[in-house]
Amino acid sequence: MISMQSTPGIDASNFVSSFNLAFYFMVGIALLFMLGLTVLMLYFVYKYNRKKNSKAVQIEGSVRLEILWTVIPALLTLLMFYFGWSGWKPMTKAPDDAMVVTSTARMWNFSFEYENGKSSPELVVPVNTPVKINLVALDVIHSLFIPAFRIKSDMVPGRETMMWFLPQREGQYDLYCAEYCGLQHSYMTSVVKVVSQEEYLKWYTDTTAVTTATEGSAPGAEGLAILKNRGCNACHTSDGSKLVGPSYLDLRFGEKLIVLRDGKETEVTVDETYIINSIYDPNSEIVKGYPKGLMQSYKGVVPEDEITKIIEYLKSLNEEQ
Amino acid sequence: MEEHRDDLASKTGMWLFLFTEMLLFGGLFIVYSVYRYINADAFHLAAHELSVPIGTINTIILLISSATIAMSITAIQKENKKLSLLLLTITVLLGLTFLVNKYFEWGHHIKEGIYPGSSALSLRGHGDVLFYGLYYFMTGLHALHIIIGLIFIGFIARMIIHDKITSDNHVLLENSGLYWHLVDLIWIFLFPLFYLIT
Amino acid sequence: MSVTAGMTEPSYLEFKGKYKGIFSWIFSTDHKRIALLYLFSILSLFAIGATLGLLMKFELIAPGKTIMDAKAYNAFFTLHGIIMIFAVVIPGLPAVFGNFMLPILIGAKDVAFPRLNLFSWYLYVAGVLLVVIAQFTGDQAPDTGWTFYAPYSFRTAGNMLPAVFGAFVLGFSSILTGLNFLVTIHRMRAPGMTWLKMPLFPWTLYATAWIQLLATPIVGITLLMIVAERLFNIGFFDPTLGGDPVLYQHLFWTYSHPAVYIMILPAMGAISEIIPTFARKIIFGYKFMVASSLLIAFVGYFVWGHHMFTANMSGQALYVFSLLTFLVAIPSAIKVFNWISTMYKASIDLQTPFFWAMAFILVFMIGGFSGLILGSLAADVHLHDTHFVVAHFHFIVFGGTGFSFFAAMHHWYPKITGKMYDTAWANTGLTVLFIGFITLYLPMFYMGVKGMPRRYFDYDEVFHASNIISSMGSWVLYAGLLITVINLFISLKRGKQAPANPWGGSTLEWTIPSPPPVENFEETPIITKGPYSYN
Ligand code: HEA
Ligand code: HEA
Ligand code: CUA
Ligand SMILES: [Cu+2]
């Protein structure tokens, strides 16, 4: 876990120092006031205890004091505001020469698309290059949060938003979804890998990366790798257990399945067309007993040739038994 | 416990309540203006599809009914119980007519397949979806207020019959009048927003 | 002022009205009985909400699944949040102590609309029932968090309709209580009680009532829109139909930020009653205390955007919200300074309520300052939706409103029940509770700064150690609360008879017998002096 260590001198991103300034300034003032006021209170309670002081002196107040303790906190809070504002201002505009990555969030995974069409479940960026991330959410609101970089931005469906940062130290950092988005919200995590320029270039130009991470050569291994990469397994299992959607194991090719179409129960045969339809238009046919509206269409995301491989894998599941 | 009467308190309470009602619709007016701002053209076109004559008739109906309930208060102050009851009955009838009109208006749109969630509506684009969504929601909520108002007036009429409301104790009647004026007032806002501004 | 000697009139607890048994309570329009109805409903709900919190802390003691799965956890914090916010702390002080004490403190026989008052309680119960029904019907318990953010709130399979509608009904109950108090304060003050002779607790209730009246309808309509959205697919906040989910957040926080001042203002008011009573001294800067209450209520309307710093609003709006957030802290600061100054040259009687008030000031400062940190743009971008926020609001909601609730409970217990409680046990309870409280919530600040998001069922190993400490704190807290509550319950039977004025207070409630007679005052008091006139 490298993420939060402040190794020699260099901050993980350009926003760390402005956060620290704003944060520790306020913590300092807070401690000062809290300590002072607590001590004062305890002192009064001790000094003016009824056992020692049986008669109170009636003091109605003091306008001078009231002004004093209005003005001083007001000035201090203005300063607090200023540090917060000046640290935040640069976040709103990315430098023109920033490299652009598009992050797409859906329940419950992130994917990162690069300008050459490369897509990755992890964010890989070169050190010392400003990175601008266009944020896209497909279903509900998510939020991209990289604690080590001290930045976060909501991803709102239907809105174009962005965030940017300058990674300054190589390493691997956690990346979280910070806006509650349903069942697997706490598993909607990934990592940021900040690597050297050379390493990045090597990674960036290697376009085979996604599907070669095969799990041996068992039948359907490629399909399984695709399911993993696309985040399907966040909701579907291979062992028959129920997560959010139905398990892959319940798909018996050639057999009938009861689904809800337009709210009416209908029988369909499990075949290739059914699988393709379930991926491209998931809400048109909902397996009985499952809620509607949770899965978004993967049309244009998962190409047909990947689906063929997925089907290969799905078929292999029931053959094994 | 002997409850002492404080008409001013009762009226103040009613005014405050009306204030919250206004804010309730106020929230909707904010939503309306935001979406109108985003979808100016679609709202513009969709407004043409509403029937201005029916809207106008309904506006007139409500205005008259506001007048009749106000007159009913004057009548009770002058100890004319019969006239007061008659005017209340007219108010109720006018309210019912409003609802019947509304029923036909909604029914017409629904027959054309224009209602929230319908496929015909979803084909027409975001602006229309929002316009009709707001239209049904806001006029629906308003109609609900009319219904509540009618029930309220019904109870008041019963109290007048049983002499629970008299010339020197008519704050409840006044409150029902205030409520009815509010319902009227909200319609005065709804009418131009949906039917007239095009 | 008339001090009633002997108990000629029956007390409100013994009074025999038209109805018997339980009906003499649930049909009663006596503000004191209604206050107790609220007290018991709220305490029961608090016990449920707190137990949910305890179970969540069990779950979080280690990464991965401990005692429940993610589905249950999500349902738990949703129910915990809804109960605690809408059914415990928002009605809390106004509905219980406001109802009981407001008429007495201003020298009235009851609130302006006693029947409406009872009706508010019915609405409250109905709202709570709806929320509870939502848990046990439908496919799945609601799982959106108490904020019901769109579009998730109409995508989820959770049974949202009754829950959201329940919150709407609870809102209406709150509006009617506020309306009742406003009219009561305007119309029913005893002769001679000018505005500036009114005690501070009624003043804070007055400011609160305005917020209830002006802000609650907005959330009411917003929740109704969510209901409509789920029922008819209207598209108000659904991006696929052209709606704007961020608009939902604006509407929600337009109410829910002012709502946090609904929670804290009466809490501050109760503390402002307790400190002068035990210091035997006039409150320092009475007029500034009044003004700051009104100021908090007013400025509180314009800062809601600080919950949405990362939601991508337009840039300009953001720093206006940040600036105003800092400004709203100043009237709170004025209050803290005045409370402490009241102790200067006082004659302090260290009783349990005073200890609670001191504990309140401590945790309120921690909660308040953490709020300031969140109000700072650069800091909030990192801290938003982490456990730092969770720590902030538990410090200020539980630590502020909750502690003040218990302070008020110990302060007015003799008046309400006619019994004294066991001071030694009460102080022990507070000490244990305080230690547990700090152990539970302080580590959450640390976790938040380290980046642990909130509403996380599972977390990274780095957060493990602090979570263990925090979870253990919840057990200590539990013990402390149990001691406190059990002590109060036992004292109902065993406690000594309470005199009319056990603490030597100078406000009107101490001039009548404990427990008060049905009509509060035998003859209407005539007010000639300010509320905290000692000597
Ligand atoms: C009782 C309820 C209550 C109260 C009173 C407050 C009070 C304040 N709150 Fe809090 N807040 C909540 C309940 C409350 N809050 C809740 C429930 C949430 C989370 C909602 C959710 O998302 O679920 C929240 C969230 C929240 C956020 C959003 C965080 C996020 O999601 O990113 C912010 C940001 O600005 C904030 C700020 C403040 C501030 C500045 C105050 C100020 O009013 C505090 C003022 C007090 C002091 C400052 C201390 C006393 C003063 C002194 C000792 C004198 C010295 C002072 C100076 C030198 C200035 N709060
Ligand atoms: C009044 C407000 C209030 C109070 C008092 C509490 C009290 C507690 N809360 Fe609460 N909490 C909220 C309001 C409150 N909470 C809100 C609004 C949220 C946000 C929800 C959301 O995200 O949507 C939240 C979220 C929240 C989370 C974050 C979940 C997440 O984001 O992952 C956690 C996790 O630890 C937590 C824990 C606790 C604990 C351990 C307590 C404990 O302090 C409880 C203490 C009490 C006990 C442990 C014992 C109880 C006593 C008895 C049983 C005695 C019997 C009583 C009688 C007979 C009357 N709460
Ligand atoms: Cu995505 Cu939380
Ligand atoms: Cu706020």
Side-chain angles (χ1 to χ4, degrees):
Chain A
M1 194 75 226
I2 318 166
S3 63
M4 298 293 292
Q5 282 159 22
S6 49
T7 28
I10 316 167
D11 290 332
S13 90
N14 57 325
F15 295 123
V16 174
S17 60
S18 48
F19 169 84
N20 285 351
L21 179 63
F23 183 72
Y24 289 109
F25 174 71
M26 288 187 286
V27 170
I29 295 202
L31 287 180
L32 208 76
F33 268 88
M34 262 152 38
L35 212 70
L37 289 170
T38 309
V39 168
L40 196 64
M41 179 164 77
L42 291 177
Y43 173 73
F44 285 167
V45 168
Y46 164 80
K47 176 92 192 284
Y48 303 112
N49 197 296
R50 188 155 306 166
K51 289 188 195 112
K52 294 197 183 127
N53 202 33
S54 63
K55 192 130 184 67
V57 182
Q58 302 300 325
I59 308 166
E60 295 213 355
S62 147
V63 176
R64 222 192 293 146
L65 274 177
E66 302 284 351
I67 292 176
L68 188 73
W69 59 51
T70 306
V71 171
I72 291 181
L75 292 177
L76 286 174
T77 50
L78 281 182
L79 239 105
M80 295 178 184
F81 165 74
Y82 174 76
F83 287 135
W85 175 76
S86 64
W88 161 83
K89 192 78 185 120
M91 294 180 186
T92 53
K93 193 163 175 342
D96 295 334
D97 60 344
M99 76 178 244
V100 179
V101 181
T102 301
S103 171
T104 309
R106 60 170 83 228
M107 291 160 160
W108 286 280
N109 74 325
F110 291 104
S111 70
F112 300 92
E113 288 93 43
Y114 289 76
E115 278 162 308
N116 68 346
K118 183 175 175 114
S119 167
S120 157
E122 293 170 352
L123 179 59
V124 180
V125 291
V127 72
N128 288 330
T129 308
V131 182
K132 177 182 171 191
I133 307 186
N134 289 323
L135 304 168
V136 179
L138 294 179
D139 36 36
V140 299
I141 303 181
H142 303 272
S143 184
L144 203 161
F145 177 29
I146 310 172
F149 294 173
R150 309 292 192 274
I151 47 163
K152 167 187 300 119
S153 185
D154 289 4
M155 312 169 83
V156 184
R159 278 202 178 199
E160 273 179 33
T161 56
M162 72 96 198
M163 73 199 283
W164 81 276
F165 56 85
L166 177 69
Q168 295 176 335
R169 175 157 43 90
E170 287 179 33
Q172 177 168 324
Y173 309 96
D174 288 318
L175 182 157
Y176 298 123
C177 172
E179 182 63 63
Y180 178 69
C181 54
L183 186 64
Q184 308 270 53
H185 164 58
S186 66
Y187 293 105
M188 188 161 164
T189 60
S190 181
V191 290
V192 189
K193 287 182 180 153
V194 181
V195 297
S196 67
Q197 298 280 355
E198 304 83 67
E199 227 178 305
Y200 174 72
L201 223 61
K202 211 171 96 208
W203 178 85
Y204 184 63
T205 44
D206 179 7
T207 44
T208 54
V210 175
T211 36
T212 44
T214 47
E215 323 272 309
S217 56
E222 270 187 283
L224 178 58
I226 293 168
L227 289 172
K228 273 192 183 155
N229 268 326
R230 297 294 181 190
C232 310
N233 293 355
C235 303
H236 306 279
T237 65
S238 315
D239 60 3
S241 59
K242 179 176 168 177
L243 274 183
V244 177
S247 170
Y248 305 133
L249 198 63
D250 296 340
L251 290 167
R252 286 168 224 283
F253 280 78
E255 287 178 29
K256 302 267 188 227
L257 188 68
I258 298 182
V259 296
L260 289 174
R261 188 187 289 147
D262 293 332
K264 283 184 276 291
E265 281 188 27
T266 332
E267 260 195 356
V268 294
T269 311
V270 178
D271 54 16
E272 269 145 51
T273 357
Y274 170 73
I275 303 288
I276 293 176
N277 184 52
S278 297
I279 295 174
Y280 284 168
D281 191 7
N283 290 313
S284 62
E285 288 171 338
I286 297 281
V287 179
K288 199 181 158 203
Y290 289 87
K292 196 176 163 160
L294 281 178
M295 183 167 160
Q296 296 294 300
S297 167
Y298 278 71
K299 203 169 187 112
V301 180
V302 182
E304 298 231 3
D305 60 313
E306 285 194 8
I307 296 189
T308 320
K309 289 176 183 148
I310 291 175
I311 290 173
E312 223 171 274
Y313 168 71
L314 295 178
K315 282 185 171 158
S316 76
L317 278 178
N318 279 308
E319 277 157 18
E320 281 163 24
Q321 285 163 357
Chain B
M1 196 191 294
E2 187 63 28
E3 270 184 48
H4 83 285
R5 229 182 79 205
D6 183 349
D7 287 352
L8 192 58
S10 174
K11 246 194 278 182
T12 317
M14 195 64 199
W15 273 109
L16 289 173
F17 178 70
L18 296 185
F19 209 41
T20 68
E21 287 273 26
M22 243 136 56
L23 284 163
L24 197 77
F25 279 91
L28 284 168
F29 287 131
I30 294 173
V31 175
Y32 175 91
S33 28
V34 169
Y35 288 145
R36 172 156 204 123
Y37 177 73
I38 300 175
N39 305 291
D41 294 340
F43 271 51
H44 179 88
L45 290 176
H48 279 298
E49 292 168 26
L50 298 186
S51 157
V52 179
I54 297 195
T56 315
I57 292 173
N58 264 349
T59 310
I60 294 170
I61 288 177
L62 278 193
L63 282 175
I64 298 177
S65 74
S66 250
T68 51
I69 199 162
M71 278 146 66
S72 155
I73 297 169
T74 322
I76 203 90
Q77 278 166 344
K78 298 201 173 130
E79 294 179 36
N80 193 339
K81 181 171 155 188
K82 271 220 184 91
L83 180 63
S84 177
L85 275 172
L86 177 71
L87 284 163
L88 279 186
T89 317
I90 297 176
T91 311
V92 171
L93 287 176
L94 286 170
L96 287 173
T97 322
F98 177 94
L99 288 176
V100 169
N101 277 343
K102 198 88 248 156
Y103 171 79
F104 282 114
E105 216 185 346
W106 274 33
H108 172 73
H109 291 302
I110 291 172
K111 239 195 0 252
E112 285 184 347
I114 303 294
Y115 53 88
S118 76
S119 45
L121 185 58
S122 55
L123 285 177
R124 291 176 47 171
H126 291 164
D128 288 61
V129 170
L130 290 172
F131 180 86
Y132 279 102
L134 285 163
Y135 166 74
Y136 278 105
F137 192 76
M138 291 172 82
T139 56
L141 192 67
H142 178 258
L144 188 70
H145 277 78
I146 298 250
I147 294 171
I148 294 171
L150 291 177
I151 297 173
F152 189 14
I153 296 175
F155 273 107
I156 298 294
R158 237 184 76 126
M159 289 174 83
I160 295 182
I161 294 173
H162 293 291
D163 286 327
K164 294 239 176 68
I165 290 178
T166 51
S167 59
D168 56 1
N169 181 11
H170 56 269
V171 66
L172 274 176
L173 175 58
E174 273 184 75
N175 282 346
S176 74
L178 282 177
Y179 182 83
W180 196 252
H181 295 324
L182 172 92
V183 172
D184 190 10
L185 181 77
I186 290 171
W187 180 256
I188 300 286
F189 278 101
L190 291 180
F191 177 55
L193 284 186
F194 284 109
Y195 296 77
L196 294 187
I197 308 183
T198 58
Chain C
M1 291 181 213
S2 73
V3 180
T4 325
M7 299 253 285
T8 41
E9 285 251 326
S11 86
Y12 79 105
L13 290 171
E14 297 156 343
F15 174 73
K16 299 262 186 306
K18 253 192 295 189
Y19 304 101
K20 297 219 161 45
I22 177 98
F23 296 108
S24 71
W25 288 87
I26 62 173
F27 290 152
S28 169
T29 54
D30 181 353
H31 66 104
K32 300 182 283 303
R33 289 201 166 200
I34 295 174
L36 290 195
L37 288 177
Y38 271 114
L39 179 64
F40 281 102
S41 347
I42 286 174
L43 276 185
S44 328
L45 284 161
F46 178 70
I48 297 172
T51 309
L52 290 171
L54 194 75
L55 291 172
M56 287 193 301
K57 282 306 341 175
F58 262 115
E59 172 51 45
L60 289 180
I61 201 166
K65 185 179 162 187
T66 318
I67 57 164
M68 61 178 95
D69 57 11
K71 203 182 240 171
Y73 184 80
N74 295 345
F76 273 35
F77 71 68
T78 303
L79 185 59
H80 173 80
I82 299 179
I83 288 188
M84 287 302 197
I85 296 285
F86 291 112
V88 175
V89 286
I90 287 184
L93 281 133
V96 178
F97 298 109
N99 249 328
F100 201 104
M101 290 299 164
L102 172 66
I104 301 181
L105 281 169
I106 62 173
K109 292 199 157 115
D110 206 319
V111 291
F113 309 114
R115 263 175 296 177
L116 187 68
N117 201 9
L118 182 63
F119 180 64
S120 307
W121 181 73
Y122 287 149
L123 278 184
Y124 173 84
V125 174
V128 169
L129 282 180
L130 280 168
V131 172
V132 172
I133 285 171
Q135 306 300 314
F136 300 108
T137 55
D139 298 335
Q140 191 186 311
D143 65 340
T144 57
W146 78 283
T147 45
F148 307 118
Y149 269 17
Y152 184 71
S153 56
F154 43 87
R155 286 275 161 68
T156 170
N159 192 16
M160 299 311 298
L161 276 184
V164 174
F165 196 65
F168 171 80
V169 174
L170 286 173
F172 253 82
S173 161
S174 171
I175 291 180
L176 294 180
T177 305
L179 189 154
N180 216 336
F181 286 2
L182 276 182
V183 179
T184 308
I185 293 172
H186 270 277
R187 298 288 304 156
M188 301 183 69
R189 278 169 291 134
M193 182 172 283
T194 55
W195 284 99
L196 289 181
K197 287 203 174 69
M198 191 161 76
L200 287 170
F201 186 51
W203 261 117
T204 53
L205 288 173
Y206 183 74
T208 308
W210 275 112
I211 310 182
Q212 287 175 306
L213 213 67
L214 297 182
T216 319
I218 309 283
V219 79
I221 197 67
T222 310
L223 294 178
L224 222 52
M225 282 190 251
I226 289 280
V227 171
E229 189 83 60
R230 272 188 85 91
L231 281 175
F232 308 114
N233 255 322
I234 291 189
F236 289 138
F237 308 119
D238 187 345
T240 57
L241 295 175
D244 183 358
V246 177
L247 181 62
Y248 171 80
Q249 298 180 13
H250 277 295
L251 291 169
F252 181 82
W253 291 115
T254 310
Y255 163 74
S256 293
H257 182 81
V260 310
Y261 296 117
I262 297 183
M263 308 169 199
I264 203 68
L265 275 169
M268 293 167 155
I271 299 300
S272 308
E273 297 296 325
I274 293 169
I275 291 180
T277 304
F278 292 90
R280 197 67 53 88
K281 183 164 174 280
I282 187 169
I283 189 118
F284 196 89
Y286 171 86
K287 282 183 194 158
F288 291 88
M289 291 301 254
V290 170
S292 60
S293 298
L294 297 176
L295 220 63
I296 290 177
F298 181 71
V299 184
Y301 279 105
F302 306 102
V303 306
W304 77 83
H306 66 212
H307 296 271
M308 304 164 60
F309 281 161
T310 65
N312 297 297
M313 298 181 244
S314 88
Q316 218 134 50
L318 276 184
Y319 55 81
V320 174
F321 280 130
S322 172
L323 187 63
L324 288 170
T325 300
F326 282 110
L327 290 185
V328 79
I330 291 164
S332 302
I334 294 177
K335 285 197 185 287
V336 173
F337 290 123
N338 279 321
W339 286 325
I340 295 181
S341 303
T342 306
M343 300 175 194
Y344 174 67
K345 291 201 172 166
S347 165
I348 298 171
D349 186 12
L350 276 179
Q351 298 282 352
T352 312
F354 194 81
F355 282 129
W356 274 101
M358 283 169 64
F360 167 90
I361 294 180
L362 282 178
V363 291
F364 176 72
M365 284 198 290
I366 302 180
F369 277 114
S370 60
L372 285 182
I373 291 176
L374 290 170
S376 157
L377 284 161
D380 187 67
V381 166
H382 176 60
L383 297 170
H384 171 68
D385 267 342
T386 65
H387 270 252
F388 193 94
V389 179
V390 180
H392 158 65
F393 68 70
H394 280 93
F395 259 99
I396 207 155
V397 178
F398 188 6
T401 314
F403 276 32
S404 173
F405 189 88
F406 281 104
M409 188 92 139
H410 287 90
H411 183 56
W412 283 313
Y413 184 91
K415 181 57 58 189
I416 293 174
T417 64
K419 295 288 167 79
M420 300 301 286
Y421 49 82
D422 186 320
T423 315
W425 276 114
N427 292 345
T428 316
L430 168 59
T431 314
V432 176
L433 187 141
F434 190 78
I435 295 171
F437 183 87
I438 298 288
T439 325
L440 166 58
Y441 295 118
L442 219 47
M444 287 190 185
F445 282 125
Y446 176 77
M447 291 185 243
V449 177
K450 287 272 159 191
M452 177 169 167
R454 66 191 278 205
R455 295 170 174 173
Y456 258 35
F457 158 75
D458 196 357
Y459 55 83
D460 201 283
E461 188 58 39
V462 271
F463 307 116
H464 194 175
S466 22
N467 263 305
I468 295 179
I469 302 177
S470 168
S471 292
M472 295 203 298
S474 73
W475 308 334
V476 181
L477 175 60
Y478 196 102
L481 260 170
L482 235 47
I483 298 174
T484 306
V485 172
I486 292 176
N487 178 42
L488 291 180
F489 263 100
I490 290 182
S491 303
L492 277 183
K493 285 239 159 61
R494 299 236 190 101
K496 277 193 309 230
Q497 197 67 37
N501 191 358
W503 316 128
S506 73
T507 32
L508 282 175
E509 78 271 38
W510 307 115
T511 62
I512 58 175
S514 315
V518 181
E519 303 241 296
N520 299 347
F521 300 94
E522 238 165 43
E523 51 198 274
T524 311
I526 314 272
I527 313 297
T528 51
K529 289 183 290 188
Y532 311 105
S533 309
Y534 293 90
N535 303 343

